[in-house]
Amino acid sequence: MGILVWLIVGGVCGWLASIIMRTDAQQGILLNVIVGIVGALLAGFIISPMVGVGTINEGISLATFLVSLLGAVILLAIVNLFRRGSVR
């Protein structure tokens, strides 16, 4: 069940992050899911302890979803920085 939650939440977070960062036309569904999962993972290690919010593994709430979305946006910003030379 945990993997299914990671795929669903990762897909939604990756899709929303790609819309926020305006890279949606360049990415497909698979890349959106990967960006969302990796962003949620990074956010779970870095952002969650700083703000005192749990991770997706501990339960889905608005706060955990927003932290995962923030992680995905930061990941896309870093990828854009290396690919284009600007965050955008």
Side-chain angles (χ1 to χ4, degrees):
M1 190 68 178
I3 299 239
L4 186 63
V5 170
W6 273 89
L7 288 173
I8 292 171
V9 173
V12 171
C13 285
W15 174 65
L16 289 175
S18 68
I19 290 174
I20 291 170
M21 296 299 293
R22 296 185 204 120
T23 60
D24 193 40
Q26 303 164 356
Q27 298 178 180
I29 293 172
L30 183 63
L31 195 56
N32 280 340
V33 171
I34 292 171
V35 165
I37 290 173
V38 173
L41 182 69
L42 290 174
F45 285 126
I46 298 169
I47 299 171
S48 289
M50 291 172 43
V51 295
V53 175
T55 61
I56 295 174
N57 291 335
E58 298 167 4
I60 299 175
S61 67
L62 182 62
T64 60
F65 183 78
L66 290 177
V67 166
S68 298
L69 178 62
L70 181 63
V73 168
I74 291 171
L75 179 65
L76 278 178
I78 291 170
V79 168
N80 284 342
L81 182 66
F82 284 111
R83 190 183 321 159
R84 294 189 192 119
S86 68
V87 175
R88 194 198 276 203

